[in-house]
Amino acid sequence: MSTESLAVALVGASGYTGAEALRLIRQHPDLHISMLCAGRQAGKPLAEVLPHMRGVDSPDLVAFDADAVAEAARFAILAVPHGTAQEAAKALLDRGVKVIDLSADHRFSDPALFAEVYAPHAHPESLARTVYGVPELNRAAIRGADLVGVAGCYPTSVILGARPAVQAGLLDDGAQIIADCKSGVTGAGRNPTATTHFPETSEGIKAYKTLTHRHAPEMAMALGVKVRFVPHLVPMSRGILSTIYLPLKAGVEAEAVRATYAAAYADEPFVTVLPEGTHPETRHVRGTNRCHIGVFPQGDLLVVQSVIDNLVKGAAGQGVQCLNLMAGLDEQAGLSHTALFP
Amino acid sequence: MSTESLAVALVGASGYTGAEALRLIRQHPDLHISMLCAGRQAGKPLAEVLPHMRGVDSPDLVAFDADAVAEAARFAILAVPHGTAQEAAKALLDRGVKVIDLSADHRFSDPALFAEVYAPHAHPESLARTVYGVPELNRAAIRGADLVGVAGCYPTSVILGARPAVQAGLLDDGAQIIADCKSGVTGAGRNPTATTHFPETSEGIKAYKTLTHRHAPEMAMALGVKVRFVPHLVPMSRGILSTIYLPLKAGVEAEAVRATYAAAYADEPFVTVLPEGTHPETRHVRGTNRCHIGVFPQGDLLVVQSVIDNLVKGAAGQGVQCLNLMAGLDEQAGLSHTALFP
Amino acid sequence: MSTESLAVALVGASGYTGAEALRLIRQHPDLHISMLCAGRQAGKPLAEVLPHMRGVDSPDLVAFDADAVAEAARFAILAVPHGTAQEAAKALLDRGVKVIDLSADHRFSDPALFAEVYAPHAHPESLARTVYGVPELNRAAIRGADLVGVAGCYPTSVILGARPAVQAGLLDDGAQIIADCKSGVTGAGRNPTATTHFPETSEGIKAYKTLTHRHAPEMAMALGVKVRFVPHLVPMSRGILSTIYLPLKAGVEAEAVRATYAAAYADEPFVTVLPEGTHPETRHVRGTNRCHIGVFPQGDLLVVQSVIDNLVKGAAGQGVQCLNLMAGLDEQAGLSHTALFP
Amino acid sequence: MSTESLAVALVGASGYTGAEALRLIRQHPDLHISMLCAGRQAGKPLAEVLPHMRGVDSPDLVAFDADAVAEAARFAILAVPHGTAQEAAKALLDRGVKVIDLSADHRFSDPALFAEVYAPHAHPESLARTVYGVPELNRAAIRGADLVGVAGCYPTSVILGARPAVQAGLLDDGAQIIADCKSGVTGAGRNPTATTHFPETSEGIKAYKTLTHRHAPEMAMALGVKVRFVPHLVPMSRGILSTIYLPLKAGVEAEAVRATYAAAYADEPFVTVLPEGTHPETRHVRGTNRCHIGVFPQGDLLVVQSVIDNLVKGAAGQGVQCLNLMAGLDEQAGLSHTALFP
């Protein structure tokens, strides 16, 4: 690592988003992990928990201690279960550590909304200072933040896909959006369940939590429109494809829609609008922080398809992108690699 | 086979729908295959073309000859590529053979519509006598038909899912329906292509032919409403899940929607409406002629999810169901087995 | 069902082998399930435990009671976890019910060997009367048995593949066999574990229990030679491919090997020796009770490849085959369907 | 790129190994692609051929011209079909370009052997100067080479797994080795075929070219022992697991075997011998240049399991490792990233 490499503490290393943050920071030119915290797994060799790390140098897994983290790092990435991040973030902020939270605990600024969607927050005052972590949405605010609640995987995909049309006023007044999203199984985490048991996940597809998933209010908050959201579980490990149905205002031409999308992302390093007629595929962004968007206007309906890797742009990669901004680094640092294809 | 077993000719045995028809008729108590026709593969041992038939008694593959078929069978199932069935059906009908066509060639009665969606039909007079092959839609007409154009896989799934709401007048006036459908790869047939090459099909998902797929007019024809249709390719071999978005008329209560669906399929042997809150999975109908439907009304939106096996209820199984009706057999004969799970 | 249909009790219906026995008996012309027993799931509607049974008539799940079973059926199939079958079999035998045990509890006749491989048997006297359930090996004994311990999935596949060469004395004196077996994930049962969690099972392969798996002594017992056995977990749900390496005695010609295999299975309804140079595939026997065998002699080495469906010929199907023999039915009854391909 | 970054020409960018070389060099700190050559695809935008490169800066695809390559780069990586590399390598060597050939064209030094396994070589004099590209085998020779024939994917995996035992004289005199190898589908290349069509590749496993595959002589050449090789096709995209069976000399203790393996790879940066009892998994090395090895001695038999990513350590990554050595760079440069897990 270079002498100016910035120390980062990673809290929660045994789940998929933590493992992904570890992968990304290891190949980051300006960051290094100075402390690796785990819960029940603390004390174990990392390779027992993450066998793909066998033979690779890495810090040991230690129990979380806010004082020790504050001594070891100016930035901490939280990759812990929802609920658990509330205390950890508070303790770290109190000690001057800037926090990037990959969990759902700091995505809403409004404590009442948070309580409605999840449960009352242990530290509502944290919500007053949190910034929603989608750089394409609010880059400037992230730069100045000391607490970022990185967006959920589904919301990231839907927000990037729907926002240009919403922002440009292309939709019908009072329109609501339908987001039919298809996710890989890592989105369900690393704990084995009946739903993720191979024989009941492979060779089949199903929806779940139809119209009741907690990512819908997050999408609505970020987009300012109502979103009817149906998530589906696909027999693949990584990736989200969101097929978004947006009712166009009368008179909006297909060409205008395409121009709006092209302009919206012309300068975005991680978002690419595909040529007319081209369909995005999740496998083309696997392992990357990139988002590919296909735009299909037809008469009064706009269909947008948006693909990301749920563990990267939908979690750890977006976290590193936010951290880059907060630390004054090049936003693309450590995130410029291409997809593992196929 | 029983002495009263009915002879059936199967035309086209080397593709997936043909192989599936062969499987179903072999286990049918009242039918047997008296002639097995193939194109380029004629003359080969069946096991070379369908290796899973190795060690199993079966007729040889012979070249198609309408006179020979007419001598061998009163019924013929056509499992040939789109376009090819037009001549075959005509020749067989002329010889008094009743035809169940699994291709797209006889799904429309209107030659103009057929020409618009596909190309001018070689025998428009066939279209005047064809019956659309979805027994749940028009059982009586199928019973009396001598030519049935079995519905496409996507349309079958969408029609079964959407029809009760449409028929009962639950939808907004002038409402259009969104059908976001997810299909297994056998829907693309047996010819290898870049799109179906394993490394570019596994571990990923994509849409294709967004809003331009030729099954949309078929759905509209059968349902009487406009359908905006986006098909997706899922890394699985069999199954279609259609997630259908239907705008409800103001004042329609969730309970009324559920009651409508329960009533619509109360007596249907192959369609099951799942209990409230239950999501259908394609793997639960794999290998069967069954359709599972989940009904999720919420405010002004009804989400219906419908799953079938695209090769069975979406093709060969529905063909046998139609044949059962045309032959005066028990409609469920040969189709009562349960899913291969998992 | 026909009036002469034979009543069968199925004990253990919530796991994969139980579900498969249920599927096979439902389509059996001469058998029906008169009682369906479960453990913790007793009392629940079957469709809650096996959602693919939704919409299909079936008996309720009741708690196991030996007296009730004895009243309901002359035959019982046990599809319960290893260890659990010992008491159940004893109780049923005492009441005159003939038992087909799909678990590992009655595969050895020698209590000492059983104790060494598993643990001391609760009813060693049961072992004295048990018959090892591979009809191709000991059909006559099965016909006369009232207790059959159906062979394990791996052993079935290896025994069918290796036995002709062993029996015909084609192997080197004192030769040992290497069995490199590849299994689908249903072999691990229905309980979700870290090993069967989709993201850690798909897109990868690994061996497990190298040279220490408990099926090795079972193979050795049935074959009379030492077997070095390495099982592998493949990202598929069903199927076992056993690649077996057998050292040939000097002077044994390739043609003699092929002739031996052809002769050994010429009259076996479920075993097919493939033409020279043809490789078997698990997907060609999926859902069937069939075994495909490829024979590749080269100099001093014979490689045999044997494929089965682990849940059918490797468990429930072989159980029904044994039951057919015990009941004096046609051995192929209910098992003549072809593979679900693809 | 740094000012001292070394220019590399990549010849053949539209297949999987070419795409992988492109990925690896893009993230290499000391290399950059100065010319990207393609065959039929020359002139097309790269993103049309490799859609995952959409939105990423990259050179255009140009037709191969040896003079132009010699002007653009001191090193060329050939990722072209077998046979095609013979002329290209000759032309480049004549112009002073050092060549790393990922095809099979320069793996043998002996023209007679090459002709026997493949066909007569167009430039046998190239074979006189080629070095076999497995750094763990002959690092010094690679450092001084101007032509390296990078080892095949199967041979790399088997050589790394078997060599310590062979080298240390642990095997029976005259012993032959059995290599039962399981590969992902990218090993078959990018051209769609019946064998790689998703429905006939997923949910199943089969062997192919039993005892006749052309990688067996390559293994024997590198190891100095006879190898009986059976490759299998597994429903996954990337990865090879080789299960290798080695007959141990009488008296060789398990502990000695383990010590031999530990010593052999103690200083190797890319090869890790796993702790006793631990099984390697292909998914733990996915996307990396690493090899994990599990060692299972038992009595007279040693079972070794070796996993690599076939496109990285089995092709493009090993090519870059060789190039690093030839160019005097750090051997690990550009190859230190960890696996994409899961």
Side-chain angles (χ1 to χ4, degrees):
Chain A
M1 76 195 69
S2 69
T3 44
E4 324 82 32
S5 173
L6 201 64
V8 176
L10 177 55
V11 183
S14 57
Y16 291 142
T17 55
E20 193 67 0
L22 182 58
R23 177 178 79 91
L24 293 172
I25 295 176
R26 272 194 84 259
Q27 67 190 42
H28 195 294
D30 306 315
L31 302 178
H32 68 278
I33 302 270
S34 60
M35 180 168 279
L36 203 51
C37 303
R40 287 166 306 163
Q41 315 275 12
K44 285 197 191 165
L46 182 61
E48 260 183 46
V49 179
L50 298 176
H52 69 287
M53 296 299 291
R54 182 87 59 192
V56 172
D57 277 342
S58 70
D60 290 331
L61 290 170
V62 299
F64 175 75
D65 174 89
D67 289 323
V69 170
E71 209 155 310
R74 276 180 47 212
F75 291 89
I77 294 179
L78 306 186
V80 296
H82 303 320
T84 315
Q86 297 174 21
E87 289 300 341
K90 171 76 165 76
L92 292 172
L93 289 168
D94 286 350
R95 284 158 182 81
V97 179
K98 297 191 178 192
V99 173
I100 297 94
D101 181 11
L102 304 183
S103 87
D105 281 351
H106 300 94
R107 291 178 189 157
F108 293 102
S109 294
D110 175 359
L113 181 55
F114 185 91
E116 188 187 318
V117 177
Y118 294 95
H121 199 283
H123 297 284
E125 70 280 14
S126 296
L127 298 184
R129 67 203 290 196
T130 196
V131 171
Y132 188 60
V134 180
E136 291 78 7
L137 194 72
N138 49 1
R139 184 168 278 122
I142 294 170
R143 275 207 182 92
D146 48 22
L147 172 60
V148 166
V150 175
C153 51
Y154 285 123
T156 296
S157 151
V158 171
I159 291 164
L160 292 177
R163 194 155 178 273
V166 174
Q167 284 289 102
L170 305 183
L171 304 194
D172 242 0
D173 290 336
Q176 56 186 12
I177 288 173
I178 290 171
D180 186 295
C181 300
K182 298 88 175 171
S183 175
V185 185
T186 54
R190 205 178 177 194
N191 285 329
T193 64
T195 294
T196 60
H197 188 49
F198 183 89
E200 312 209 10
T201 304
S202 71
E203 256 297 303
I205 182 170
K206 64 165 184 174
Y208 65 100
K209 294 188 185 167
T210 293
L211 302 177
T212 63
H213 193 285
R214 294 189 294 191
H215 279 178
E218 187 183 330
M219 297 173 192
M221 178 268 292
L223 285 170
V225 297
K226 184 167 186 183
V227 182
R228 312 301 285 262
F229 169 47
V230 181
H232 299 75
L233 193 65
V234 177
M236 62 187 189
S237 281
R238 286 177 180 240
I240 288 178
L241 163 61
S242 293
T243 310
I244 315 169
Y245 299 88
L246 309 107
L248 288 172
K249 192 176 284 185
V252 173
E253 299 288 336
E255 218 31 72
V257 173
R258 277 193 279 267
T260 298
Y261 272 79
Y265 292 123
D267 296 326
E268 282 299 340
F270 294 114
V271 185
T272 303
V273 179
L274 302 185
E276 187 176 342
T278 305
H279 290 82
E281 305 190 26
T282 57
R283 62 182 70 74
H284 294 154
V285 298
R286 183 165 49 208
T288 77
N289 200 51
R290 306 188 61 75
C291 175
H292 282 188
I293 292 178
V295 180
F296 300 86
Q298 190 192 68
D300 58 356
L301 181 69
L302 167 61
V303 178
V304 175
Q305 292 154 15
S306 155
V307 298
I308 60 169
D309 183 321
N310 58 305
L311 294 180
V312 191
K313 186 60 178 167
Q318 187 147 260
V320 170
Q321 186 182 356
C322 290
L323 197 163
N324 284 344
L325 290 168
M326 295 161 78
L329 301 171
D330 174 4
E331 186 174 342
Q332 301 183 55
L335 298 170
S336 59
H337 55 281
T338 51
L340 192 80
F341 172 79
Chain B
M1 77 195 69
S2 67
T3 44
E4 324 83 30
S5 174
L6 199 65
V8 176
L10 176 56
V11 182
S14 58
Y16 291 142
T17 55
E20 194 67 1
L22 182 57
R23 178 178 78 91
L24 294 172
I25 295 175
R26 271 194 85 259
Q27 66 189 43
H28 194 294
D30 306 315
L31 302 178
H32 69 277
I33 302 269
S34 60
M35 178 167 283
L36 201 53
C37 303
R40 288 166 306 163
Q41 316 276 14
K44 286 196 190 165
L46 182 62
E48 260 182 47
V49 178
L50 298 176
H52 69 286
M53 295 300 291
R54 183 88 58 192
V56 172
D57 277 342
S58 68
D60 290 330
L61 290 170
V62 300
F64 175 75
D65 175 89
D67 289 323
V69 170
E71 207 155 311
R74 276 181 46 215
F75 291 90
I77 294 180
L78 305 186
V80 297
H82 304 318
T84 315
Q86 298 173 22
E87 289 300 342
K90 171 77 165 74
L92 293 172
L93 290 167
D94 284 351
R95 285 159 180 80
V97 179
K98 299 192 178 194
V99 174
I100 297 95
D101 180 10
L102 304 184
S103 86
D105 280 350
H106 299 93
R107 292 179 188 156
F108 294 101
S109 295
D110 175 1
L113 180 55
F114 185 90
E116 187 189 319
V117 176
Y118 294 95
H121 199 283
H123 297 285
E125 71 279 15
S126 295
L127 298 184
R129 69 204 287 198
T130 194
V131 170
Y132 188 60
V134 179
E136 291 77 5
L137 195 70
N138 50 358
R139 182 168 281 119
I142 294 169
R143 275 207 182 92
D146 50 19
L147 171 59
V148 166
V150 175
C153 51
Y154 285 124
T156 296
S157 151
V158 171
I159 292 164
L160 292 177
R163 193 156 180 270
V166 175
Q167 285 289 100
L170 304 183
L171 304 193
D172 242 2
D173 290 337
Q176 57 186 12
I177 287 173
I178 290 171
D180 187 294
C181 299
K182 297 89 176 170
S183 174
V185 184
T186 53
R190 204 178 178 194
N191 284 329
T193 65
T195 295
T196 60
H197 188 48
F198 183 89
E200 312 209 13
T201 305
S202 72
E203 255 298 301
I205 182 170
K206 64 166 183 174
Y208 65 100
K209 295 188 184 167
T210 293
L211 302 177
T212 63
H213 192 287
R214 294 189 295 192
H215 279 177
E218 186 182 331
M219 297 172 192
M221 177 268 292
L223 285 170
V225 296
K226 184 167 186 183
V227 182
R228 311 303 284 263
F229 168 46
V230 181
H232 298 75
L233 193 65
V234 177
M236 61 186 192
S237 281
R238 286 178 180 240
I240 287 179
L241 163 61
S242 293
T243 311
I244 314 168
Y245 299 88
L246 310 107
L248 288 173
K249 193 176 283 186
V252 173
E253 300 288 337
E255 218 30 74
V257 174
R258 277 192 279 267
T260 299
Y261 272 79
Y265 293 123
D267 297 327
E268 283 299 339
F270 294 114
V271 185
T272 303
V273 178
L274 302 185
E276 185 176 345
T278 304
H279 290 83
E281 307 190 25
T282 56
R283 63 184 69 74
H284 295 154
V285 298
R286 182 164 50 211
T288 77
N289 199 50
R290 308 188 60 76
C291 173
H292 282 187
I293 292 178
V295 179
F296 300 86
Q298 189 192 68
D300 58 357
L301 182 69
L302 167 61
V303 179
V304 175
Q305 291 154 16
S306 155
V307 299
I308 60 170
D309 183 322
N310 56 305
L311 294 179
V312 191
K313 184 60 178 166
Q318 188 148 260
V320 171
Q321 187 182 354
C322 290
L323 197 161
N324 283 344
L325 290 168
M326 293 160 80
L329 300 172
D330 174 2
E331 186 174 345
Q332 300 184 57
L335 298 170
S336 60
H337 55 282
T338 52
L340 191 79
F341 172 80
Chain C
M1 77 195 68
S2 68
T3 44
E4 325 82 31
S5 173
L6 200 64
V8 177
L10 176 56
V11 182
S14 58
Y16 291 143
T17 54
E20 194 66 0
L22 181 57
R23 177 178 79 92
L24 294 171
I25 294 175
R26 271 194 85 258
Q27 66 189 44
H28 196 295
D30 306 314
L31 302 178
H32 67 277
I33 302 269
S34 60
M35 179 168 281
L36 202 52
C37 303
R40 287 167 307 163
Q41 316 276 14
K44 285 196 192 166
L46 183 61
E48 261 182 45
V49 178
L50 299 176
H52 68 287
M53 296 299 291
R54 182 90 55 193
V56 173
D57 277 342
S58 69
D60 291 330
L61 290 171
V62 300
F64 175 76
D65 175 88
D67 289 324
V69 170
E71 208 154 311
R74 275 179 48 212
F75 291 90
I77 294 181
L78 305 186
V80 296
H82 304 318
T84 315
Q86 297 173 23
E87 290 299 341
K90 170 76 163 76
L92 293 171
L93 289 167
D94 286 351
R95 284 159 181 80
V97 179
K98 298 192 178 194
V99 173
I100 296 96
D101 181 11
L102 304 183
S103 86
D105 281 351
H106 299 94
R107 292 178 189 158
F108 294 103
S109 294
D110 175 359
L113 180 55
F114 185 90
E116 189 188 317
V117 176
Y118 293 96
H121 199 284
H123 297 284
E125 71 279 14
S126 295
L127 297 184
R129 68 204 286 197
T130 194
V131 172
Y132 188 60
V134 180
E136 290 78 6
L137 195 71
N138 50 0
R139 182 168 279 120
I142 294 169
R143 276 207 182 90
D146 49 22
L147 172 60
V148 166
V150 176
C153 51
Y154 285 123
T156 296
S157 150
V158 171
I159 291 163
L160 293 176
R163 194 155 181 271
V166 175
Q167 285 288 101
L170 305 182
L171 304 195
D172 242 1
D173 290 337
Q176 57 186 13
I177 288 173
I178 290 171
D180 187 294
C181 300
K182 297 88 175 168
S183 174
V185 184
T186 53
R190 205 178 177 194
N191 285 328
T193 65
T195 294
T196 59
H197 188 49
F198 183 90
E200 312 209 10
T201 304
S202 71
E203 254 298 301
I205 183 170
K206 63 166 185 175
Y208 64 100
K209 295 187 184 169
T210 294
L211 302 177
T212 63
H213 192 286
R214 295 189 295 194
H215 280 176
E218 186 182 331
M219 297 172 192
M221 178 268 291
L223 285 169
V225 296
K226 185 168 184 182
V227 181
R228 313 301 284 263
F229 169 48
V230 181
H232 299 75
L233 193 65
V234 177
M236 61 187 189
S237 281
R238 286 179 179 239
I240 287 178
L241 163 61
S242 292
T243 310
I244 314 169
Y245 299 89
L246 308 108
L248 289 173
K249 193 177 283 184
V252 173
E253 300 288 337
E255 219 29 74
V257 174
R258 277 192 280 266
T260 299
Y261 273 80
Y265 293 122
D267 297 327
E268 282 298 340
F270 294 113
V271 186
T272 302
V273 179
L274 302 186
E276 186 175 344
T278 305
H279 291 82
E281 306 190 27
T282 56
R283 63 182 72 72
H284 296 155
V285 298
R286 183 165 48 211
T288 78
N289 199 49
R290 307 189 60 76
C291 175
H292 283 187
I293 292 179
V295 180
F296 301 87
Q298 189 192 70
D300 58 356
L301 182 68
L302 168 60
V303 179
V304 176
Q305 292 153 16
S306 155
V307 299
I308 59 169
D309 183 321
N310 57 305
L311 294 180
V312 190
K313 184 60 178 168
Q318 187 148 257
V320 169
Q321 188 183 354
C322 290
L323 196 162
N324 284 344
L325 291 168
M326 294 160 80
L329 301 171
D330 173 3
E331 186 174 344
Q332 301 183 58
L335 298 171
S336 59
H337 55 281
T338 52
L340 191 79
F341 172 80
Chain D
M1 73 196 71
S2 69
T3 45
E4 322 84 30
S5 174
L6 201 64
V8 176
L10 176 55
V11 182
S14 58
Y16 291 142
T17 55
E20 193 67 1
L22 182 58
R23 177 179 78 92
L24 294 171
I25 294 176
R26 271 195 84 259
Q27 67 188 42
H28 195 294
D30 306 315
L31 302 178
H32 68 278
I33 303 269
S34 60
M35 180 167 278
L36 202 52
C37 304
R40 288 167 305 163
Q41 316 275 11
K44 284 196 192 166
L46 182 61
E48 260 183 44
V49 179
L50 298 176
H52 68 287
M53 297 299 291
R54 182 88 58 192
V56 172
D57 277 342
S58 70
D60 289 331
L61 290 170
V62 300
F64 175 75
D65 175 89
D67 289 323
V69 169
E71 208 155 310
R74 279 180 45 211
F75 291 89
I77 295 180
L78 305 186
V80 296
H82 304 318
T84 314
Q86 297 174 23
E87 290 301 340
K90 171 76 165 74
L92 293 172
L93 289 167
D94 285 350
R95 286 159 180 80
V97 179
K98 298 193 177 191
V99 173
I100 297 94
D101 181 10
L102 304 184
S103 87
D105 280 351
H106 299 95
R107 291 179 188 157
F108 293 101
S109 294
D110 176 0
L113 181 55
F114 185 90
E116 188 188 318
V117 177
Y118 294 96
H121 199 282
H123 298 284
E125 70 280 14
S126 295
L127 298 184
R129 68 204 288 197
T130 195
V131 171
Y132 188 60
V134 179
E136 290 77 7
L137 194 71
N138 51 359
R139 184 168 279 123
I142 294 169
R143 276 209 182 89
D146 49 21
L147 173 58
V148 165
V150 175
C153 52
Y154 285 124
T156 296
S157 151
V158 171
I159 291 164
L160 292 176
R163 194 157 179 269
V166 175
Q167 285 289 100
L170 304 184
L171 304 194
D172 242 0
D173 290 337
Q176 57 185 12
I177 288 173
I178 290 171
D180 187 295
C181 299
K182 296 90 176 168
S183 175
V185 184
T186 54
R190 205 177 177 194
N191 284 330
T193 65
T195 294
T196 60
H197 188 49
F198 183 89
E200 312 209 11
T201 305
S202 71
E203 254 298 303
I205 183 170
K206 63 164 182 174
Y208 65 100
K209 295 187 184 168
T210 294
L211 301 176
T212 64
H213 193 285
R214 295 189 295 191
H215 280 177
E218 186 182 333
M219 297 173 192
M221 179 267 292
L223 285 170
V225 297
K226 184 167 184 183
V227 182
R228 311 302 284 266
F229 169 47
V230 182
H232 297 75
L233 192 64
V234 177
M236 62 187 188
S237 281
R238 288 178 177 239
I240 288 179
L241 164 61
S242 292
T243 310
I244 314 167
Y245 299 88
L246 309 108
L248 288 172
K249 192 176 284 184
V252 172
E253 298 288 336
E255 217 32 71
V257 174
R258 276 192 280 266
T260 297
Y261 273 79
Y265 292 123
D267 296 326
E268 283 299 341
F270 294 115
V271 186
T272 302
V273 179
L274 302 185
E276 186 175 342
T278 306
H279 290 83
E281 306 190 26
T282 57
R283 61 182 71 74
H284 295 152
V285 298
R286 182 164 51 208
T288 78
N289 200 49
R290 307 188 61 76
C291 174
H292 283 187
I293 293 179
V295 180
F296 300 87
Q298 188 191 70
D300 59 357
L301 182 69
L302 168 60
V303 179
V304 175
Q305 292 153 15
S306 156
V307 299
I308 60 169
D309 183 321
N310 58 306
L311 294 180
V312 191
K313 184 61 178 167
Q318 188 148 257
V320 170
Q321 187 183 355
C322 290
L323 196 162
N324 284 344
L325 290 168
M326 295 161 79
L329 301 171
D330 174 3
E331 187 174 343
Q332 301 183 56
L335 298 170
S336 59
H337 56 280
T338 51
L340 192 79
F341 172 81

